């Protein structure tokens, strides 16, 4: 299936062929077109202001104002992302950074200029609003949000207070921007010499290659120490940044009359607090399958001491590169169970300038998919030809398809799906890829690598993210209680949780308790990560429904699943999942993933034994 090729590396972005880079012209043909929309947003703001004090007079006034606001937001998506995407792949470009600040300033002005809207709308009696939504077609698309407004009424402040808070919107985002600048534009990665005499600069992408492919434990250790030392040396700065973020979250929560930061994050989407807390409790109490896997790895690898940086190396003599084009073909083939139409849309995404594939100097690390309503999603990769990145490709294409289907089906008012369901499609795609590759390989070593990938997927997406969620919860609780937060405190919190998860099955190093310094979600998306775990549990249930049982039941389950991806934000996410067949309030939904891990570890042990005997 796969052809052995040399690893693709590019020294500059200019060297990368256009087919592997984003096509920004799908958003705007040129900067003049961008500038026109940028200016038009200011005009839209003026029009919105003309409705101040008039929203309660008639449903027509409300509908007209919402239409102007919607047109403004459509432009805003394009104006922001056109700059943001270009800056993402060229963090060192100060001209782009300046334009990004321009856009952020405009959005801050928008927040101030529209602070009166929510307080004025909430003065419209609920019964009146129900009647308006029923009788005015211009309000039909906004029904869900308009009626949900009354549920959140106690968190809507007076016009003066809302305006005051809006002044701080840029300030509260500053800490996240500082983290990004420190971790990308200003970071200086270290160079190490490996056992073969080769010298490499250990960027996150290079680190991933080494710990995945290099069989020499000492080389892996060198790469690990070189990468983490960069973050370790800035630990006090990272702690100050994170403290700023948590303090801002707590200030915002109190200002809006929430009892805690967690309540502030959950109540908007009507997520029960118990879903979060029970997830943390259930996973923490059931770490045995994960520890069993670590013990198996240590034994098979024949290591006297086992470290975290030993967690990605293959358990067999398997060190294959997966060329990008072939990875795309296999991912496209793997999604056929979701229908030919889904498959065709996914294939189109890989061929049309939607993906930015390879690492280049100044480019943000990691991977993501972000939509531009009325255009298409844009997907960032730093593809490194590892098996792990083949699964990342499938994962991010799941997000891309979710966004595509939602945008095609939903009006703008309800096109945006919540974070709570955002990881369902991505992890579903990963499972499809696993089964496809397992069914199409005759190489026993690749089967072991794939089972390892599946296990690592559960540990990384389910266990680790729940661990991260526990960390966020504990640190925010400390700030809420007025306790100090510094590098030592954060390191101790991390170390305590890590010990509960792993105990003594892995060795400790100088850097063991410092991963909190470099996890972007903590700084950019607080209280996001727990949803990886809940989504993983949801997608596991949906996958079983779609792939198992009789033909009629599978077809109905597939229709429910596609409907979920098309539903955007037209209902509360817990309700959307229930319609698709998942109830996250039931402990068995969480335990199903834990039991699945236990079975996979046993299956892996059996496969390893077969290879050993042969």
């Amino acid at each position: 299936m796969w052809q052995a090729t040399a690893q693709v590396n590019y020294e500059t972005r200019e060297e990368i062929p256009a087919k592997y880079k984003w096509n920004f012209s799908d958003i705007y043909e040129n900067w003049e077109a961008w500038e026109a929309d940028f200016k038009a947003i200011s005009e839209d703001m003026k029009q919105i202001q003309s409705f101040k004090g008039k929203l309660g007079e008639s449903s027509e006034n409300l509908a007209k104002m919402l239409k102007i606001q919607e047109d403004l937001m459509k432009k805003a998506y394009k104006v922001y992302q056109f700059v943001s995407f270009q800056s993402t792949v060229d963090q060192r470009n100060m001209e782009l950074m300046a334009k990004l600040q321009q856009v952020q300033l405009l959005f801050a002005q928008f927040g101030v200029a529209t602070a009166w809207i929510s307080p004025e709308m909430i003065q419209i009696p609920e019964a009146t609003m129900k009647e308006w939504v029923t009788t005015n077609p211009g309000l039909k698309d906004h029904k869900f949000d308009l009626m949900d407004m009354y549920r959140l009424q106690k968190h809507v402040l007076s016009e003066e207070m809302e305006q005051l808070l809006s002044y701080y919107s840029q300030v509260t985002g500053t800490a996240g921007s500082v983290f990004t600048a420190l971790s990308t534009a200003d970071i200086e990665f270290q160079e190490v010499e490996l056992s073969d005499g080769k010298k490499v600069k250990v960027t996150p992408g290079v680190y991933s290659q080494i710990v995945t492919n290099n069989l020499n434990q000492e080389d892996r250790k060198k790469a690990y120490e070189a990468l983490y030392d960069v973050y370790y040396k800035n630990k006090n700065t990272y702690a100050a940044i994170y403290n700023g973020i948590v303090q801002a979250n707590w200030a915002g929560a109190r200002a809006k009359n929430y009892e805690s930061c967690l309540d502030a994050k959950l109540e908007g989407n009507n997520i029960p607090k118990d879903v979060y807390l029970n997830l943390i409790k259930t996973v923490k109490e059931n770490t045995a399958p994960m520890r069993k896997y670590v013990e198996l790895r240590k034994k098979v690898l024949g290591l006297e001491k086992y470290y975290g940086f030993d967690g990605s190396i293959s358990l067999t003599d398997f060190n294959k590169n997966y060329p990008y084009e072939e990875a795309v073909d296999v991912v496209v083939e793997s999604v056929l169970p979701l229908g030919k139409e889904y498959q065709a849309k996914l294939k189109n995404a890989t061929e049309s300038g939607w993906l930015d594939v390879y690492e280049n100097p100044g480019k943000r690390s990691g991977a993501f998919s972000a939509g531009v309503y009325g255009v298409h999603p844009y997907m960032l990769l730093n593809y490194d030809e590892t098996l792990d990145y083949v699964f990342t490709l499938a994962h991010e294409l799941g997000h891309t398809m979710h966004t595509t289907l939602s945008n095609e089906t939903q009006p703008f008012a309800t096109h945006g799906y919540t974070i709570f369901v955002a990881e369902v499609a991505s992890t579903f795609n990963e499972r499809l890829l696993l089964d496809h590759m397992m069914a199409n390989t005759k190489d026993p070593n690749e089967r072991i690598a794939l089972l390892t990938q599946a296990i690592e997927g559960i540990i990384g997406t389910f266990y680790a993210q729940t661990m991260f969620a526990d960390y966020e919860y504990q640190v925010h609780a400390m700030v809420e209680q007025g306790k100090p937060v510094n590098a030592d405190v954060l390191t101790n919190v991390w170390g305590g949780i890590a010990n509960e998860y792993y105990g003594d099955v892995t060795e400790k190093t100088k850097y063991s308790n410092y991963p909190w310094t470099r996890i972007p979600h903590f700084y950019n998306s607080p209280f996001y990560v727990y949803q990886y775990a809940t989504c993983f549990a949801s997608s596991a249930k949906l996958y079983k429904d779609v792939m198992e049982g009789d033909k009629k039941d599978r077809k109905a389950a597939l229709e429910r699943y596609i409907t979920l991806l098309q539903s955007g934000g037209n209902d509360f996410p817990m309700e959307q999942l229930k319609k698709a067949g998942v109830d996250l309030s039931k402990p068995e939904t969480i335990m199903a993933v834990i039991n699945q891990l236990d079975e996979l570890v046993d299956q892996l042990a059996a496969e390893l034994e077969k290879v050993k005997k042969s």
Side-chain angles (χ1 to χ4, degrees):
M1 186 194 306
W2 305 93
Q3 302 295 318
T5 64
Q7 168 70 41
V8 175
N9 281 309
Y10 293 100
E11 293 295 322
T12 67
R13 183 164 180 81
E14 288 69 32
E15 291 176 30
I16 304 174
K19 66 179 180 177
Y20 300 127
K21 294 190 284 191
W22 277 332
N23 179 8
F24 300 115
S25 64
D26 286 349
I27 307 176
Y28 292 112
E29 282 292 339
N30 49 49
W31 282 104
E32 287 75 21
W34 176 86
E35 188 73 38
D37 265 2
F38 183 84
K39 290 177 179 175
I41 288 174
S42 296
E43 291 304 312
D44 287 340
M45 282 198 284
K46 290 177 186 175
Q47 285 192 59
I48 289 171
Q49 288 295 90
S50 70
F51 287 91
K52 187 175 180 180
K54 302 176 184 176
L55 297 185
E57 292 178 2
S58 68
S59 66
E60 287 74 20
N61 282 357
L62 180 60
K64 286 176 185 175
M65 189 280 294
L66 289 173
K67 177 68 169 65
I68 297 166
Q69 188 178 42
E70 184 174 294
D71 289 343
L72 182 155
M73 291 306 298
K74 286 178 182 177
K75 295 187 192 89
Y77 265 94
K78 295 171 68 179
V79 162
Y80 176 76
Q81 297 292 35
F82 187 68
V83 182
S84 177
F85 289 149
Q86 293 185 68
S87 179
T88 294
V89 297
D90 189 6
Q91 294 270 353
R92 301 172 185 179
N93 187 322
M94 292 299 104
E95 188 178 339
L96 286 171
M97 293 300 288
K99 284 187 181 294
L100 196 57
Q101 288 175 3
Q102 262 188 289
V103 177
Q104 289 166 342
L105 181 61
L106 180 68
F107 286 0
Q109 291 169 352
F110 174 68
V112 173
T114 58
W116 59 272
I117 293 176
S118 291
E120 187 169 319
M121 283 171 61
I122 208 71
Q123 296 305 312
I124 301 169
E126 189 171 358
T128 301
M129 186 67 79
K130 275 183 182 176
E131 182 188 344
W132 285 5
V133 167
T134 304
T135 57
N136 190 326
L139 298 177
K140 181 183 175 184
D141 290 347
H142 301 274
K143 179 180 179 181
F144 178 71
D145 285 336
L146 288 173
M147 299 316 302
D148 188 44
M149 175 176 64
Y150 296 96
R151 179 179 65 85
L152 299 170
Q153 191 165 0
K154 63 180 177 288
H155 304 296
V156 177
L157 308 178
S158 67
E159 179 188 340
E160 291 79 12
M161 286 297 292
E162 290 286 353
Q163 188 174 53
L164 183 63
L165 281 181
S166 71
Y167 290 142
Y168 290 91
S169 61
Q170 272 199 299
V171 178
T172 55
T174 299
S177 299
V178 173
F179 168 79
T180 301
L182 181 62
S183 304
T184 52
D186 290 344
I187 201 161
E188 289 291 335
F189 292 111
Q190 299 178 9
E191 187 175 84
V192 298
E193 184 175 337
L194 302 177
S195 56
D196 61 1
K198 183 180 179 183
K199 292 182 179 180
V200 294
K201 184 175 282 190
V202 186
T203 65
V206 169
Y207 172 72
S208 176
Q209 290 177 34
I210 292 172
V211 297
T212 303
N213 298 319
N214 194 314
L215 298 176
N216 185 308
Q217 189 184 38
E218 192 58 34
D219 282 348
R220 297 197 297 274
K221 183 180 179 183
K222 279 185 180 179
Y224 163 78
E225 290 177 345
L227 182 72
Y228 272 91
D229 193 58
V230 175
Y231 298 96
Y232 175 80
K233 285 175 177 173
N234 288 309
K235 61 183 183 292
N236 293 312
T237 304
Y238 282 115
I241 293 169
Y242 191 53
N243 184 41
I245 286 167
V246 179
Q247 294 287 357
N249 290 341
W250 181 219
R254 282 179 292 175
K256 287 282 194 173
N257 301 317
Y258 288 103
E259 291 182 10
S260 71
C261 297
L262 183 60
D263 286 314
K265 290 295 180 182
L266 298 184
E267 193 165 350
N269 290 325
N270 206 19
I271 307 295
K273 199 172 183 177
D274 283 348
V275 169
Y276 192 101
L277 299 179
N278 289 338
L279 172 71
I280 289 174
K281 182 175 183 291
T282 303
V283 175
K284 198 184 288 186
E285 290 173 351
N286 292 277
T287 60
M290 185 173 66
R291 295 189 188 198
K292 181 167 72 172
Y293 171 64
V294 173
E295 294 284 10
L296 176 63
R297 288 186 60 83
K298 182 179 179 182
K299 177 184 174 184
V300 172
L301 293 170
L303 297 174
E304 185 180 337
K305 293 185 176 181
Y306 186 92
Y307 297 89
F309 53 76
D310 296 321
S312 299
I313 204 73
S314 174
L315 293 175
T316 61
D317 186 12
F318 184 79
N319 186 15
K320 184 189 290 186
N321 283 0
Y322 292 80
Y324 175 69
E325 264 81 8
E326 294 174 36
V328 168
D329 289 343
V330 171
V331 172
V332 169
E333 290 167 15
S334 73
V335 300
L336 184 57
L338 297 181
K340 290 184 177 179
E341 186 178 352
Y342 181 101
Q343 186 184 51
K345 288 179 187 294
L346 184 142
K347 188 171 189 293
N348 177 62
T350 67
E351 298 173 341
S352 308
W354 297 17
L355 278 64
D356 204 272
V357 178
Y358 293 110
E359 187 178 35
N360 63 255
K363 182 177 177 179
R364 203 198 97 161
S365 63
F368 68 73
S369 176
V372 183
Y373 191 85
V375 186
H376 57 70
Y378 280 72
M379 197 171 123
L380 182 99
L381 300 171
N382 282 276
Y383 191 77
D384 61 9
E385 302 194 355
T386 60
L387 179 61
D388 182 58
Y389 231 110
V390 181
F391 278 81
T392 298
L393 175 64
H395 179 104
E396 296 301 336
L397 280 167
H399 288 309
T400 294
M401 286 302 298
H402 193 173
T403 301
T404 299
L405 291 170
S406 287
N407 288 2
E408 286 177 353
T409 312
Q410 295 295 318
F412 182 81
T414 55
H415 81 281
Y417 51 86
T418 63
I419 292 170
F420 196 77
V421 295
E423 300 297 337
V424 172
S426 54
T427 50
F428 196 114
N429 270 21
E430 287 192 68
R431 181 61 192 271
L432 286 172
L433 178 62
L434 172 70
D435 281 3
H436 178 78
M437 292 184 74
M438 284 289 285
N440 285 280
T441 182
K442 295 177 182 177
D443 183 350
N445 289 323
E446 188 165 30
R447 290 180 65 79
I448 290 169
L450 287 164
L451 283 169
T452 303
Q453 179 71 33
I455 291 166
E456 290 290 338
I458 293 177
I459 291 173
T461 310
F462 184 77
Y463 275 95
Q465 304 302 330
T466 305
M467 178 182 168
F468 296 170
D470 194 358
Y471 169 82
E472 287 192 282
Y473 179 68
Q474 289 193 34
V475 176
H476 279 79
M478 293 173 78
V479 166
E480 290 162 9
Q481 293 160 20
K483 294 179 180 178
V485 170
N486 54 41
D488 288 343
V489 169
L490 296 177
T491 302
N492 288 335
V493 171
W494 186 277
I497 297 169
N499 193 55
E500 287 186 277
Y501 270 69
Y502 288 97
D504 58 0
V505 297
T506 59
E507 299 291 330
K508 304 296 187 289
T509 74
K510 174 182 177 180
Y511 308 106
S512 289
N513 296 331
Y514 288 92
W516 59 266
T517 57
R518 63 179 293 253
I519 296 170
H521 282 115
F522 291 164
Y523 301 87
N524 300 324
S525 310
F527 290 111
Y528 181 110
V529 293
Y530 86 98
Q531 293 159 121
Y532 281 110
T534 54
C535 284
F536 196 96
S538 300
S539 70
K541 170 69 163 63
L542 292 165
Y543 180 89
K544 186 175 181 181
D545 291 347
V546 170
M547 302 299 285
E548 297 177 13
D550 63 43
K551 187 176 180 180
K552 183 180 178 183
D553 288 345
R554 292 200 312 271
K555 184 181 179 184
L558 177 57
E559 288 175 358
R560 289 197 302 271
Y561 176 61
I562 296 298
T563 298
L564 171 67
L565 301 189
Q566 292 173 330
S567 62
N570 67 3
D571 203 345
F572 298 121
M574 286 285 285
E575 294 306 310
Q576 290 176 316
L577 288 170
K578 282 179 183 177
K579 290 174 194 173
V582 178
D583 187 351
L584 283 164
S585 64
K586 295 181 178 178
E588 53 264 34
T589 306
I590 305 299
M591 283 305 301
V593 181
I594 293 165
N595 294 332
Q596 182 188 9
L597 175 62
D598 202 39
E599 291 167 8
L600 283 168
V601 173
D602 289 341
Q603 188 181 350
L604 176 63
E607 290 283 351
L608 286 163
E609 196 61 33
K610 287 179 193 174
V611 170
K612 185 179 177 182
K613 288 178 179 177
S614 65

